[in-house]
Amino acid sequence: MEQIKMVDLHGQYLKIKPEVDTAMQRVLDHCDFVNGSTVADFANALATYTGAQKVLTCANGTDALKLALMALDLNPGDEVITVPFTFVSTVEVIVSLGLQPVFVDVHPDTFNMDVSQIKTAITERTRVILPVHLFGQCADMETILSIAREHHLYVVEDACQALGTEVTFSDGSVHQAGTMGDVGCTSFFPTKNLGCFGDGGALFANNNTLASRIFSMANHGMSQKYHYDYIGLNSRLDTLQAAVLLAKLPHLNEYIATRQAAAKYYDRALNDCPDVFLPVEVPFSTHTYHQYTIRLASGNRDVLREALAAAGVPTMIYYPQALHLQKAYRYLSYTVGTFPIAENLCQTVLSLPMHTELTMEQLQYITYQLRSFLQ
């Protein structure tokens, strides 16, 4: 059996090597490394895939989140409601713009924003709700959008882990992650379901005026060359990275299906394991399994992780400490126990290997080792 990896990027590349190599060679031949035509081609293809009116590419997912908030013309001290159980970028960009993060806890089953807590977090300074579609499953966007409309708030989706995830609303309409709010953000970090060979990101917008502002802000705030309407960033998707993404995009549904099949195997094999809570799939959202994350009830997560590592099974902890307790954000004055679900998850979650190249032999070995420790 080949060595088990958390993510097998090399194996994925080898399967489509001719397509990727040809796409990259085309860029090398034209030497249009910045804002080359392939960037626009990819943006258009991604808009077609997601149904978004506009796709604006940028340098990474963090910049996507920052650009989204910059484009809303917020004022220092304005409040953004989000969650403490997420990658740091979500909160980092809020603080870096002089805005105030206001946390609500997450749901213990889905790890996504607990929508029942949103209304009590709204104040006269609230301007934005920023849900995170964690690990590949969407938050309850229909409820979030309803609350936002009622209180005249913007919605910015952090869909950096959920590209390709679909949400079905009560009227039967189906929407892609990132395309439901005022702005959606995604990342093309190599380990994502659609990953490039470096950093990359994109924003989704269904408002032409907002899209135009984001496009300008990602290019130093330029309206035309050397004319600046906004304070902006230098945040561009490299043409080489766009070429990789354009080659991989036609395979995204296959990648997602492969991840979902691996998740179903985990579900079946681990269903009766004591003290193990498996990922919960909600009825309104598909799950594209950027991560397959279990939760352990007995508090032996770290011991299990060491045992699996000794047996050649890698695991990861996403995330070991909730953001409101991190040193950088202690000035917000949240204390231990303020968000008990998020804090508990940081002590109990464990992500198993999840990628497109997992073999049946590897899945069997992973689950055998996990069951052997727990039973």
Side-chain angles (χ1 to χ4, degrees), residues 153-333:
L153 305 175
Y154 293 112
V155 175
V156 174
E157 295 177 69
D158 182 342
C160 290
Q161 298 184 16
L163 185 64
T165 303
E166 294 182 338
V167 173
T168 302
F169 282 14
S170 56
D171 63 2
S173 60
V174 179
H175 308 268
Q176 285 264 355
T179 68
M180 294 166 279
D182 295 282
V183 189
C185 307
T186 198
S187 166
F188 304 121
F189 189 78
T191 60
K192 298 294 197 269
N193 290 13
L194 181 66
C196 55
F197 290 175
D199 264 326
L203 300 95
F204 307 103
N206 296 316
N207 178 298
N208 285 331
T209 301
L210 195 57
S212 178
R213 185 181 298 179
I214 292 168
F215 181 81
S216 175
M217 286 182 165
N219 291 275
H220 299 288
M222 282 195 293
S223 56
Q224 55 183 304
K225 196 162 188 176
Y226 303 131
H227 293 266
Y228 308 98
D229 291 345
Y230 308 101
I231 295 173
L233 304 175
N234 176 23
S235 184
R236 297 178 293 224
L237 179 67
D238 288 342
T239 310
L240 281 167
Q241 301 302 342
V244 173
L245 292 166
L246 189 57
K248 293 178 74 172
L249 181 58
H251 300 277
L252 179 55
N253 285 342
E254 175 191 347
Y255 293 160
I256 290 171
T258 302
R259 288 172 176 270
Q260 290 171 333
K264 292 304 179 189
Y265 183 89
Y266 279 139
D267 286 348
R268 292 191 299 269
L270 303 175
N271 184 55
D272 60 347
C273 271
D275 295 332
V276 174
F277 296 93
L278 303 180
V280 174
E281 294 187 8
V282 294
F284 58 79
S285 174
T286 60
H287 202 318
T288 53
Y289 289 99
H290 170 59
Q291 302 294 344
Y292 185 92
T293 303
I294 63 174
R295 184 163 54 91
L296 300 163
S298 59
N300 62 357
R301 188 264 311 272
D302 295 337
V303 177
L304 169 62
R305 189 176 186 216
E306 291 177 5
L308 290 174
V313 178
T315 58
M316 289 292 290
I317 298 171
Y318 304 108
Y319 298 94
Q321 187 175 41
L323 292 179
H324 67 287
L325 300 178
Q326 295 277 356
K327 181 179 179 181
Y329 301 103
R330 288 177 191 163
Y331 77 95
L332 296 171
S333 299

Side-chain angles (χ1 to χ4, degrees), residues 106-117:
V106 294
H107 194 281
D109 291 336
T110 65
F111 313 152
N112 282 326
M113 181 178 282
D114 185 343
V115 295
S116 70
Q117 299 186 25

Side-chain angles (χ1 to χ4, degrees), residues 113-133:
M113 181 178 282
D114 185 343
V115 295
S116 70
Q117 299 186 25
I118 295 175
K119 287 188 177 181
T120 58
I122 294 173
T123 73
E124 61 181 15
R125 295 302 305 271
T126 305
R127 296 293 180 268
V128 182
I129 304 174
L130 203 169
V132 180
H133 304 320

